[in-house]
Amino acid sequence: MARFWVCVAGAGAGLFLTFLVLHSCFCGSPISWTPENIRYRLDVGWPKYSEYFSGTTFCVAVDSFNGLVYVAQTGVNIPKVLVFTEDGYFLRAWNDTVDTPHGIFAASTPYERSVWITDVGSGSYGHTVKKYNSFGDLIQVLGTPGKKGTDLNPLQFDNPAELYVEDTGDIYIVDGDGGLNNRLFKLSQDFMILWLHGENGTGPTQFNIPHSVTVDSAGRVWVADRGNKRIQVFDKDTGEWLGAWDNCFTEEGPSSVRFTPDGKYLIVAQLNLSRLSFVAAPPVGSIGSCSVVSTLQLADQVLPHLLDVDRKTGAIYVAEIGARQVQKYVPLSSWKPLWHSG
């Protein structure tokens, strides 16, 4: 499996890998730029054996509490979910009741460990959001298996893209990776709809391919509104629209969003640019405008689709659908995480 150089744009940043350059990298962007020294290196030893990536690697999730990494891939007659240690050792794979995984999230507390998958397949398990234990046993199905739709009772999805699960058990789902729906849900831990935004369009609370969702420590929900080339922000309790960022994504819309463990930066993947951007998180009470402080430029055509961040170590795991692999980037300085195990 080929390994690629990356470059980091920022004050004092340079090249940090010690392996052969396989691709020349470009740093720079016409967007708002406030350089900071954020540095990562590619962990070329993760995973130990990349041959386990036998399909198209759509998504990745980190169980920070237990040191596990879940990778979901698509393809025919292959294991759909791979489980690794954070050191890169392969543990197991599972495939039952998984059709075409698109997004994955590992929810882990001292009291429960579960894996959630959004399934966009057209088969009998498609158009659902499913909860599994870490060994692949199906626990819960949200949606109407094998039937896409727009209904709320019974609940239906059409190409649900991704989800985020808080430690409280509350669930945020973005539904509409090019399907009938363009919706953002918040569900309670007993799967009741707490609030919903759902309409195609370009205005506030409207979406065009809502592709990724995350929540910050200030109680704000961040949605990658990919087709509209922006990020929209909502109050997690009320669903109130708080603002949007569009000045950073004129070249291409955001594909994935996750925060660094200290909550200072939002990491944004842009698929066709093969770029990760670090955007300064705004203070509480203000959304303001987007300001990129650093970038990781990946090799051409690796196509970073979705990513996740280890909330203990700050390592970034990137699912690349072009390169058909997941790569791990390790920070060169330690983070002070806001995450806790309680």
Side-chain angles (χ1 to χ4, degrees), residues 60-66 68 70 104-117 130-134 139 163-171 258 308 311 339:
V60 59
V62 184
D63 176 351
S64 303
F65 189 80
N66 294 287
L68 299 176
Y70 297 86
I104 190 168
F105 188 89
S108 183
T109 71
Y111 315 105
E112 181 184 23
R113 180 168 60 181
S114 59
V115 180
W116 292 81
I117 292 176
K130 292 171 286 191
K131 178 182 181 181
Y132 298 86
N133 65 22
S134 61
I139 300 172
L163 77 162
Y164 186 95
V165 183
E166 290 194 277
D167 289 347
T168 61
D170 290 342
I171 306 165
R258 285 291 185 269
D308 204 7
R311 293 191 288 175
W339 176 85

Side-chain angles (χ1 to χ4, degrees), residues 58-61 101-106 116-120 128-129 157-165 171-177 183-185 209-215 222-224 255-258 305-309:
F58 262 65
C59 49
V60 59
H102 186 278
I104 190 168
F105 188 89
W116 292 81
I117 292 176
T118 63
D119 198 322
V120 299
T128 56
V129 177
F157 299 108
D158 184 12
N159 292 353
E162 199 198 38
L163 77 162
Y164 186 95
V165 183
I171 306 165
Y172 304 83
I173 301 170
V174 280
D175 175 32
D177 184 33
R183 304 190 295 196
L184 166 66
F185 288 89
I209 309 181
H211 198 261
S212 181
V213 58
T214 193
V215 180
W222 300 73
V223 177
S255 179
S256 186
V257 286
R258 285 291 185 269
H305 184 246
L306 290 169
L307 64 87
D308 204 7
V309 176

Side-chain angles (χ1 to χ4, degrees), residues 213-269:
V213 58
T214 193
V215 180
D216 68 15
S217 60
R220 298 174 293 195
V221 181
W222 300 73
V223 177
D225 188 5
R226 190 172 76 179
N228 284 327
K229 297 184 177 181
R230 65 183 180 181
I231 292 175
Q232 296 198 67
V233 191
F234 302 86
D235 181 276
K236 78 170 189 176
D237 294 322
T238 65
E240 177 188 359
W241 186 81
L242 299 178
W245 284 348
D246 56 11
N247 59 302
C248 285
F249 312 110
T250 56
E251 294 178 272
E252 185 189 14
S255 179
S256 186
V257 286
R258 285 291 185 269
F259 279 92
T260 55
D262 59 4
K264 290 178 60 177
Y265 306 104
L266 182 66
I267 306 171
V268 181

